[in-house]
Amino acid sequence: MSNSIEQRLERWIKELPGIDKQMWKDPVFVAGCLTADYTIGIEKEVLEFFGQHGVMKSLSPEHKEILAKTLADKLDLQGMMQEIIYPALGLAVSAQLRNNNPWHPLLTAFSNIEERAVDWLWYPYLPLGRLSILEGDPGQGKSWFSMAVAASLSHGGWPFLINGEESIATPSNTIYLTTEDDPSDTVKKRLNILGADQGKIYYLHGKTKVYSQTIASITLADIHVLDEAISSLSAKLVIVDPIQAHLPARVDMNKAEDVRPVLAALHALAHRRRCAVLLIRHFSKGVKEKVIYQGMGSIDFAAAARSVLICGEVGEKEYERLSFKRIFAVIQTKNNLAPRGLAIEFELRRDEFGWVGGTERTIASLFSSPGSGEIEEAKTFLWEILSEGPTSVETVRRQARQIGLDSKVLIEAKMALKIKNEKTDSGFAWRLPYEERGH
């Protein structure tokens, strides 16, 4: 172990309150210390360090056994039980451990398993106790749709029903994890537009330690933190927006062997708490052979989800006097638990959201949408930035560069929208052609 790591651990132990009292008698607390973020990759050294400094002496033999099993599970160190964990805890090594066989099979005959129906948050789109995915290109309505679902759930129902299914009768809580949209100027504004009961929608933006003031970001590896949040609120929906921003740093989303354990633990949590988990994922670049391969990362994401939804812009945009309407569709491309549902359409205006209802649209309409090109993206950008009033050309160009819009594409979009030039005291500005002019 490097001197810097050892010095950091020594300082941390000295600063920890109650080091020689009750806390070190709790095997779960000790296991948490030994499996914190700073121990990744140096588990052996940290465990030996703790053993050398005598922090294990307060544990009873029974608690040491619990700690040994907990560490082996958390750190996946079953092969080190004999070599590292038991000696550090001062425990004798059993014959089973000497044979390097710490696991027993768990077998249940299917004749002893009771069949039961699938529970749904929203049939047939969001099953309870399962993972679902909502995917699409950036700026194509995914966050709006997920927040609209949460807003409907906050009031205990849905804006419309599919196949005559009954809606949930009891208003329920939603937990929302997001890194892309600001909670105050974007998420809050959208929830106001959606008319949500915001006392039932919770923003999970981090984790804190019980015995200190430390605050850290949260990832999908923090299953115990997520479990506590869900159980404390009896939440029926967890939205992760987007999934790639909430994966642990050591997880490569393109590798199945990295992704699979994270998704398995998340599915187990959803199943145990009977809540729906909606993972939002961006499309990868280029068009894939099959739509199921279109999302970023490993195919294991789509394989683990019981329901996969794709969201995108459809049809022609309508540019009306001081009103810019965009129409979106959500289409189910996978459902392992029921027949696929109808496509769902919704529309957005400047400060309005509206459900259109179920339609017979197919997935082809999303990939042939006129809203998918660079020009249409630039039109959308210009309409949104100029809808507040005339904006300096310098500001428009700067913000366009920040989102990667080419200057030639921006000019083409300006001409298509017939945006006007306007001289101001500080230079030139662009304004929408339909804006009311003062006299």
Side-chain angles (χ1 to χ4, degrees):
M1 183 186 300
S2 68
N3 290 334
S4 61
I5 294 176
E6 186 165 348
Q7 291 171 1
R8 182 151 43 100
L9 287 172
E10 286 179 339
R11 185 169 61 253
W12 181 78
I13 288 177
K14 290 177 182 178
E15 293 175 353
L16 194 64
I19 185 66
D20 57 347
K21 297 182 181 179
Q22 298 300 317
M23 285 160 41
W24 290 112
K25 297 180 181 179
D26 181 355
V28 176
F29 170 74
V30 177
C33 293
L34 295 176
T35 56
D37 291 342
Y38 64 78
T39 68
I40 295 174
I42 56 169
E43 291 89 350
K44 283 186 182 181
E45 293 85 349
V46 172
L47 190 58
E48 289 174 340
F49 176 85
F50 273 57
Q52 292 167 4
H53 284 70
V55 297
M56 308 298 182
K57 293 179 179 179
S58 299
L59 293 177
S60 67
E62 294 80 8
H63 281 174
K64 287 182 180 180
E65 289 281 359
I66 296 173
L67 175 58
K69 292 180 174 61
T70 304
L71 288 173
D73 288 340
K74 281 178 172 287
L75 300 177
D76 195 21
L77 295 178
Q78 283 78 19
M80 300 181 188
M81 291 278 278
Q82 176 180 345
E83 176 188 356
I84 297 294
I85 296 179
Y86 266 63
L89 297 180
L91 293 173
V93 179
S94 66
Q96 184 181 11
L97 285 176
R98 281 195 296 271
N99 294 331
N100 285 322
N101 181 28
W103 295 103
H104 292 289
L106 296 176
L107 298 172
T108 303
F110 274 96
S111 58
N112 295 325
I113 297 176
E114 183 179 353
E115 181 180 353
R116 72 177 185 185
V118 176
D119 295 324
W120 294 88
L121 184 66
W122 188 15
Y123 180 89
Y125 306 103
L126 297 177
L128 287 169
R130 307 293 205 283
L131 306 182
S132 298
I133 288 178
L134 174 65
E135 55 190 12
D137 283 324
Q140 291 293 294
K142 300 185 300 298
S143 297
W144 268 107
F145 177 81
S146 61
M147 281 188 278
V149 170
S152 298
L153 185 61
S154 73
H155 295 294
W158 302 102
F160 59 89
L161 305 179
I162 302 296
N163 299 334
E165 293 290 328
E166 294 183 359
S167 62
I168 288 180
T170 305
S172 300
N173 293 324
T174 294
I175 295 174
Y176 190 51
L177 291 80
T178 183
T179 58
E180 293 189 338
D181 292 321
D182 187 275
S184 57
D185 64 25
T186 302
V187 178
K188 179 79 175 181
K189 179 178 180 180
R190 291 177 178 179
L191 291 176
N192 285 333
I193 291 172
L194 292 164
D197 180 349
Q198 297 179 42
K200 294 190 175 298
I201 302 175
Y202 291 80
Y203 172 40
L204 179 55
H205 50 91
K207 59 185 178 181
T208 184
K209 290 185 177 180
V210 176
Y211 300 104
S212 73
Q213 299 300 313
T214 303
I215 297 176
S217 58
I218 190 168
T219 73
L220 295 181
D222 296 307
I223 290 296
H224 297 296
V225 178
L226 291 168
D227 188 21
E228 182 180 345
I230 294 169
S231 61
S232 65
L233 298 173
S234 298
K236 287 297 182 183
L237 178 62
V238 176
I239 300 170
V240 182
D241 184 8
I243 185 171
Q244 65 267 25
H246 293 88
L247 292 172
R250 62 183 180 274
V251 170
D252 184 341
M253 71 180 301
N254 296 299
K255 294 183 178 179
E257 62 269 26
D258 283 4
V259 167
R260 194 175 297 122
V262 176
L263 296 178
L266 194 59
H267 172 264
L269 174 60
H271 188 267
R272 182 169 66 254
R273 293 301 178 188
R274 307 307 298 163
C275 71
V277 175
L278 181 60
L279 307 173
I280 296 180
R281 184 169 67 148
H282 294 324
F283 276 164
S284 57
K285 294 181 179 179
V287 179
K288 307 300 182 184
E289 181 182 355
K290 294 183 178 180
V291 70
I292 200 72
Y293 301 146
Q294 195 66 47
M296 289 179 62
S298 168
I299 188 61
D300 270 52
F301 285 108
R306 301 297 85 187
S307 172
V308 177
L309 307 168
I310 290 182
C311 185
E313 201 160 355
V314 295
E316 293 288 345
K317 295 186 181 78
E318 297 180 20
Y319 298 88
E320 302 168 355
R321 187 179 183 84
L322 292 179
S323 179
F324 170 45
K325 182 169 73 173
R326 304 172 67 189
I327 303 172
F328 301 84
V330 176
I331 298 175
Q332 191 169 49
T333 59
K334 176 187 174 183
N335 192 332
N336 290 94
L337 306 174
R340 294 182 190 177
L342 291 173
I344 302 168
E345 286 191 5
F346 63 94
E347 63 182 33
L348 290 174
R349 294 178 185 267
R350 180 176 172 183
D351 288 321
E352 295 179 18
F353 175 97
W355 293 105
V356 177
T359 75
E360 297 289 347
R361 279 192 182 275
T362 64
I363 194 66
S365 63
L366 292 184
F367 289 94
S368 62
S369 166
S372 60
E374 288 184 327
I375 300 295
E376 289 301 321
E377 182 181 357
K379 286 182 181 179
T380 299
F381 163 77
L382 287 173
W383 191 274
E384 290 178 346
I385 195 174
L386 300 180
S387 62
E388 300 292 336
T391 305
S392 71
V393 176
E394 180 183 354
T395 299
V396 174
R397 291 185 181 278
R398 183 180 67 254
Q399 293 193 22
R401 286 194 300 270
Q402 289 174 352
I403 64 172
L405 282 179
D406 183 80
S407 59
K408 293 182 179 179
V409 173
L410 189 68
I411 294 300
E412 289 186 48
K414 174 181 179 285
M415 295 174 61
L417 289 176
K418 300 180 180 179
I419 287 172
K420 305 298 183 183
N421 291 315
E422 181 176 279
K423 186 171 178 54
T424 66
D425 294 338
S426 57
F428 285 92
W430 288 356
R431 68 172 177 84
L432 295 175
Y434 310 119
E435 186 180 349
E436 293 288 350
R437 309 304 299 148
H439 297 286

